Amino acid sequence: MKQNTSRNFIGITSIIFIFIVLCLSVFALLSVNSARQSLSSVQRSADAVTRYYAADSSAQLWIHQVKAEGPTGEDVLEREFPISDSQTLRVALDGATFEILSYQVVNNEVLEIDDSLQVWQGETEELK
């Protein structure tokens, strides 16, 4: 009888060990997936920042060139510097004093709101 009970303990230990190994494997796969998603998010962010600062650098060079040329007859000097397909850096200068009037990122795409799904607005209809 003692041999039979010791075999049951070895079997239960093996099952628990296999379960622990499977759990650790699943957690490892989830960690790898999370790290991969974080890496792609960081790369997209780094690309966006790089494109913005490239446009900013071009805008600063333009401002210095305009200042070097001297005052112009125009009241407002405006120029756009592309950041991406959907964004542009728009710069506006005063033609006489070269003061920066506007220095902003503008979205090129018009965002449309999808109203196709009927959502309850908080008003109840009275039953007749």
Side-chain angles (χ1 to χ4, degrees):
M1 288 275 248
K2 282 190 174 186
Q3 287 180 343
N4 206 6
T5 57
S6 66
R7 284 186 179 177
N8 287 340
F9 288 127
I10 292 174
I12 291 172
T13 306
S14 297
I15 290 173
I16 291 174
F17 181 73
I18 290 171
F19 178 73
I20 290 172
V21 169
L22 285 174
C23 287
L24 290 175
S25 299
V26 168
F27 289 139
L29 290 174
L30 289 173
S31 296
V32 168
N33 188 27
S34 176
R36 186 179 300 135
Q37 288 176 350
S38 294
L39 176 65
S40 66
S41 174
V42 167
Q43 286 175 336
R44 283 192 309 269
S45 178
D47 291 342
V49 168
T50 302
R51 287 191 308 268
Y52 171 78
Y53 282 113
D56 178 59
S57 175
S58 299
Q60 292 296 322
L61 286 173
W62 175 72
I63 291 170
H64 289 293
Q65 287 175 354
V66 169
K67 284 182 180 180
E69 291 173 2
T72 62
E74 297 180 39
D75 290 339
V76 177
L77 301 171
E78 233 179 336
R79 187 155 176 203
E80 293 184 351
F81 301 91
I83 296 173
S84 65
D85 294 338
S86 62
Q87 289 184 328
T88 302
L89 178 64
R90 186 178 295 162
V91 180
L93 291 176
D94 185 356
T97 63
F98 302 113
E99 180 181 348
I100 297 175
L101 302 175
S102 171
Y103 202 91
Q104 62 184 352
V105 175
V106 179
N107 287 328
N108 299 336
E109 297 176 350
V110 177
L111 300 177
E112 296 181 16
I113 297 174
D114 183 14
D115 291 337
S116 62
L117 183 62
Q118 293 184 2
V119 179
W120 182 59
Q121 299 297 323
E123 300 172 4
T124 58
E125 295 178 14
E126 290 186 30
L127 298 175
K128 294 182 182 180

